[in-house]
Amino acid sequence: MAATAAIIFFLSAMVLSVRAAVVEHTFVVSQVNMTHLCKETLVTVVNGQLPGPAIEVTEGDSVAVLLVNKSPYNITIHWHGVKQWLNCWADGVPMVTQRPILPNHNFTYRFNVVGQEGTLWWHAHVPFLRATLHGAVIIRPRNGAISYPFPKHDMEVPIIIGDWWQLDLPQVDRSMKNGSFDFFASGSTINGKLGDLFNCSGVPEVGYVLDVVPGKTYLLRVINAGLFSEFYLKIAGHKFTVVAADANYVSPYTTDVIAIAPGETVDALVVANATPGRYYMVALPNQAPRPDTQTKEFTTRGMVQYRVNHSSMTNGPAALRSTRGAKDEENDGLSGDVALAPQMPDEHDTMTSFYFHSNLTSLHHLSVPQQVDENLFLVLGLGSICRNGQQSCKRGGNNNESIVVATMNSVAFQHPTANVPLLEAHYYHSGLLDAVQELPDGPPRAFNFTDKALIPFGPKEMRLEPSSKATAMRRFQHGAVVDIVFQSSAILQGDSNPMHLHGHDMFLLAEGLGNYNAAKDVERYNLVNPPVKNTVLVPNLGWAAVRFVANNPGVWFMHCHYEFHLTMGMAAVFIVEDGPTVDTFLPPPPSNFQ
Ligand SMILES: *[C@@H]1O[C@H](CO)[C@@H](O)[C@H](O)[C@H]1NC(C)=O
Ligand SMILES: *[C@@H]1O[C@H](CO)[C@@H](O)[C@H](O)[C@H]1NC(C)=O
Ligand SMILES: *[C@@H]1O[C@H](CO)[C@@H](O)[C@H](O)[C@H]1NC(C)=O
Ligand SMILES: *[C@@H]1O[C@H](CO)[C@@H](O)[C@H](O)[C@H]1NC(C)=O
Ligand SMILES: *[C@@H]1O[C@H](CO)[C@@H](O)[C@H](O)[C@H]1NC(C)=O
Ligand SMILES: *[C@@H]1O[C@H](CO)[C@@H](O)[C@H](O)[C@H]1NC(C)=O
Ligand SMILES: *[C@@H]1O[C@H](CO)[C@@H](O)[C@H](O)[C@H]1NC(C)=O
Ligand SMILES: *[C@@H]1O[C@H](CO)[C@@H](O)[C@H](O)[C@H]1NC(C)=O
Ligand SMILES: *[C@@H]1O[C@H](CO)[C@@H](O)[C@H](O)[C@H]1NC(C)=O
Ligand SMILES: [Cu+2]
């Protein structure tokens, strides 16, 4: 009894101390030279690291990050998936929620992490610079290991999939906004390392190595920080048990492949139960098949390496700690062995991703609101606008007269150009937002959204190209229940679209291939245990239906997490009005706002 009481006392003391915790970081953004593929490249990073530092918190903690900008660029940091309850000011979208942090200036982000557990991440919300400005946000339950709703794990490992770019990224952004698109990364990475599928002058690149101890269980916190691609992740000889996605628990789902789109996170357990040896961990980008334009994409790989259990070696924390970099003297006997490679899906296999995503369900039954207040049908695709504000022009890829843009319901987002951030204009009722265009409820015209004949330039798609450009917004009453059907279309391309909503999670009610058809698809909605996501992958030539409750007052960005789509305009702003009570009102800006 006494012992139990002591333990309970100890736990509650721990909870109390945990509740009070403020996790502090200083992020110095600067440019450093890094050399890969025999080429020195100037990259913008936090604290000299790529990926940047992980923020590790316990649910309920507060976070304070002092951002010191020693780069030549305007910077903001977005805490991707963090709900920012009544704290839209800290959401980090330039000119939407805050003025950017100018070179040689600094700013402190303060926010609480409440009601979320699992893996999220942070990244610059500056076009393309997030390629090198990102890191993990790890949220552990308050009561430690006993609170995880899945078998105990021995070790946690972030697995961040990314790209290696050798281009001037802000210039890539400007070019894409001006209608040219031939820009590609030079490689893919796992935890910043390209791996031995890349070499220059015959010298292979260093790869990420995860040292494992036989019999131990590893929780992989997988993040796709890439700009352009969905990825398939596999480890030869091992299975994953997916336990969470976007910091929401899912029913344990055993699979040998993880499919992950930019902006998504997946937590998966891996048991080191194979014959001790070396196993490749491979990340393969996938893309829609022809007639879609094929982009230059790269597979990357790292290694899972078993430690031999010599009697002289301890099996304790020291062995568990080292997960980075091969320590060959402790791996004797294995380094010469041939490593096993996994059989990867085809790069054009989009079904494996569709099945992975549509098989996820929430771990628990949820109370999904049944009464819907607002319905949006958002058709995602490309289009074009005339150069220099002309009324009519040649379409069909005529780069001299028109610019190809990415749209929702044929509106491309005009990134705000006023000198007051939208959130500030909203908060002070400045009138700036009165004149802005509303995001339309549906597309301007109906067509066969997923007709593959629309992909190549031609008379059929050309009729559908004309689009407009506006800082499109949508207002929601506080507490409104909103249904959105996202429909990927085939205009000029048949890409999938990872749609990300700031400040709210979404119930993913259903998804399907082809054109959404309310008459039969509403019946398929999962209102019992739908997965809860901040980023919903809308399948290529298919649709996804989501529901969310607009209860977090503020001005929230909603956009595709493919960087080229975002830059080209696949974005909008959701304004959630204040509610009637104190705890439903957006408080005034923090004191460190200009
Ligand atoms: C990067 O390398 C270039 C060329 O070697 C050099 O001129 C520049 O000063 C370096 N920049 C930094 C930040 O180290
Ligand atoms: C940085 O932001 C300031 C103020 O918003 C703006 O005047 C300036 O043009 C921006 N600079 C760049 C390089 O975008
Ligand atoms: C942050 O900016 C303030 C005001 O410009 C300055 O006083 C302070 O020294 C800066 N801090 C750092 C760490 O750069
Ligand atoms: C280096 O890369 C080239 C081209 O991808 C490939 O053909 C070659 O086998 C690689 N060499 C090594 C040693 O990995
Ligand atoms: C490794 O060795 C330790 C002590 O030498 C032993 O307790 C442990 O069970 C061994 N582990 C495995 C997986 O063989
Ligand atoms: C996932 O869903 C698809 C389609 O419903 C099904 O055919 C497949 O077997 C499922 N895969 C797993 C691993 O459950
Ligand atoms: C655009 O203009 C350039 C130079 O005038 C010309 O060479 C090119 O053919 C034009 N492109 C198209 C698609 O009309
Ligand atoms: C934008 O594209 C047009 C047509 O290709 C080109 O003439 C113009 O120089 C470009 N402008 C910029 C700023 O790149
Ligand atoms: C739409 O296009 C697809 C693919 O080209 C075709 O299979 C389908 O029958 C079309 N649907 C309608 C309603 O025309
Ligand atoms: Cu998109």
Side-chain angles (χ1 to χ4, degrees):
M1 276 306 279
T4 312
I7 287 168
I8 287 168
F9 173 77
F10 175 71
L11 285 177
S12 43
M14 211 166 72
V15 168
L16 287 180
S17 67
V18 153
R19 265 190 197 142
V22 179
V23 175
E24 295 184 326
H25 283 266
T26 298
F27 279 15
V28 179
V29 179
S30 73
Q31 293 189 299
V32 300
N33 282 316
M34 290 186 177
T35 302
H36 286 297
L37 307 172
C38 294
K39 190 168 175 230
E40 190 174 64
T41 309
L42 194 60
V43 293
T44 312
V45 294
V46 166
N47 298 355
Q49 293 168 241
L50 180 59
I55 295 182
E56 303 190 33
V57 304
T58 298
E59 190 271 328
D61 282 356
S62 300
V63 177
V65 179
L66 167 62
L67 190 126
V68 181
N69 187 5
K70 300 224 174 288
S71 82
Y73 306 118
N74 289 345
I75 299 290
T76 65
I77 302 285
H78 170 58
W79 316 94
H80 181 111
V82 173
K83 279 187 199 155
Q84 302 291 7
W85 179 249
L86 302 180
N87 192 33
C88 188
W89 304 104
D91 197 43
V93 186
M95 297 322 286
V96 174
T97 64
Q98 72 173 116
R99 288 184 178 77
I101 304 152
L102 305 180
N104 293 313
H105 284 65
N106 62 54
F107 178 79
T108 302
Y109 286 96
R110 292 178 202 282
F111 55 91
N112 302 325
V113 180
V114 181
Q116 301 181 278
E117 291 173 10
T119 306
L120 295 171
W121 58 302
W122 58 265
H123 61 79
H125 221 296
V126 182
F128 286 82
L129 284 182
R130 77 168 173 83
T132 52
L133 288 170
H134 60 250
V137 174
I138 293 167
I139 312 165
R140 303 198 174 91
R142 290 190 200 204
N143 293 335
I146 55 168
S147 290
Y148 285 105
F150 47 79
K152 186 177 163 317
H153 56 278
D154 300 289
M155 173 88 195
E156 299 183 13
V157 193
I159 300 288
I160 303 181
I161 301 169
D163 310 312
W164 176 247
W165 287 80
Q166 293 179 319
L167 301 174
D168 174 352
L169 293 169
Q171 182 56 45
V172 171
D173 172 54
R174 288 190 290 272
S175 301
M176 284 206 176
K177 286 196 168 75
N178 190 39
S180 38
F181 307 103
D182 281 336
F183 304 99
F184 305 109
S186 303
S188 303
T189 56
I190 295 176
N191 289 343
K193 298 191 161 65
L194 286 114
D196 65 355
L197 293 174
F198 297 92
N199 72 75
C200 61
S201 314
V203 181
E205 284 278 337
V206 171
Y208 170 71
V209 177
L210 170 60
D211 279 340
V212 299
V213 173
K216 299 285 180 189
T217 300
Y218 295 79
L219 176 63
L220 307 191
R221 298 179 176 277
V222 188
I223 297 166
N224 183 348
L227 298 189
F228 281 19
S229 301
E230 285 184 51
F231 276 86
Y232 288 130
L233 181 74
K234 286 186 83 166
I235 301 173
H238 294 77
K239 281 191 186 311
F240 303 104
T241 301
V242 175
V243 292
D246 291 10
N248 289 291
Y249 294 117
V250 298
S251 312
Y253 172 56
T254 301
T255 170
D256 62 356
V257 60
I258 287 173
I260 187 165
E264 290 188 303
T265 64
V266 170
D267 290 5
L269 298 171
V270 174
V271 183
N273 58 3
T275 311
R278 299 191 304 151
Y279 299 88
Y280 281 116
M281 171 192 289
V282 179
L284 167 108
N286 66 326
Q287 62 179 323
R290 289 182 197 288
D292 260 283
T293 315
Q294 299 298 293
T295 40
K296 222 157 123 189
E297 295 188 327
F298 305 89
T299 300
T300 178
R301 71 183 180 189
M303 183 82 78
V304 170
Q305 180 165 270
Y306 280 68
R307 294 184 154 244
V308 182
N309 193 11
H310 292 304
S311 51
S312 58
M313 248 181 76
T314 62
N315 192 14
L320 286 174
R321 217 184 303 123
S322 162
T323 61
R324 270 163 207 266
K327 290 273 184 296
D328 280 323
E329 72 276 15
E330 290 172 350
N331 286 309
D332 31 344
L334 287 178
S335 25
D337 296 357
V338 177
L340 229 62
Q343 172 90 45
M344 297 306 287
D346 188 88
E347 71 157 319
H348 293 126
D349 169 0
T350 54
M351 288 311 287
T352 296
S353 166
F354 177 68
Y355 288 148
F356 177 90
H357 286 94
S358 46
N359 281 341
L360 294 180
T361 53
S362 266
L363 177 61
H364 301 294
H365 285 198
L366 305 171
S367 40
V368 180
Q370 313 278 319
Q371 204 67 44
V372 177
D373 302 306
E374 306 265 0
N375 279 283
L376 296 182
F377 183 73
L378 300 181
V379 176
L380 314 172
L382 300 189
S384 65
I385 55 169
C386 296
R387 279 192 187 276
N388 311 316
Q390 276 153 280
Q391 289 303 303
S392 67
C393 56
K394 282 192 189 134
R395 311 272 173 177
N398 190 322
N399 195 32
N400 294 357
E401 293 202 21
S402 59
I403 298 177
V404 173
V405 292
T407 67
M408 289 192 234
N409 290 345
S410 298
V411 183
F413 189 71
Q414 169 68 59
H415 294 267
T417 49
N419 54 14
V420 178
L422 304 180
L423 179 60
E424 211 173 299
H426 167 69
Y427 185 79
Y428 294 109
H429 307 287
S430 75
L432 182 70
L433 304 188
D434 297 348
V436 301
Q437 186 175 323
E438 177 144 300
L439 178 68
D441 285 1
R445 54 192 95 72
F447 58 100
N448 183 352
F449 305 116
T450 52
D451 183 354
K452 283 187 191 147
L454 296 174
I455 295 176
F457 285 121
K460 200 170 181 184
E461 65 73 25
M462 233 185 280
R463 279 198 308 275
L464 297 167
E465 264 187 46
S467 301
S468 61
K469 202 161 186 189
T471 305
M473 296 187 196
R474 181 75 199 205
R475 273 177 197 277
F476 298 108
Q477 291 302 308
H478 185 271
V481 177
V482 183
D483 268 19
I484 303 178
V485 173
F486 292 109
Q487 173 74 59
S488 291
S489 82
I491 306 176
L492 295 174
Q493 48 118 76
D495 282 349
S496 60
N497 295 286
M499 300 306 293
H500 174 52
L501 174 61
H502 291 210
H504 301 78
D505 277 344
M506 302 172 274
F507 300 108
L508 172 54
L509 302 179
E511 54 194 306
L513 301 177
N515 300 327
Y516 174 79
N517 176 354
K520 64 178 176 50
D521 291 326
V522 169
E523 285 165 28
R524 294 184 31 216
Y525 283 7
N526 176 358
L527 300 175
V528 178
N529 61 351
V532 180
K533 306 271 291 156
N534 64 59
T535 305
V536 166
L537 180 64
V538 186
N540 63 311
L541 306 180
W543 54 270
V546 305
R547 180 169 297 175
F548 73 97
V549 183
N551 58 4
N552 193 6
V555 176
W556 303 103
F557 212 25
M558 191 277 284
H559 62 93
C560 183
H561 224 278
Y562 286 143
E563 202 70 358
F564 58 108
H565 280 175
L566 170 57
T567 275
M568 292 162 68
M570 196 181 284
V573 162
F574 284 177
I575 300 176
V576 177
E577 302 286 5
D578 284 331
T581 55
V582 186
D583 59 350
T584 55
F585 249 92
L586 179 66
S591 55
N592 61 345
F593 259 58
Q594 293 121 310

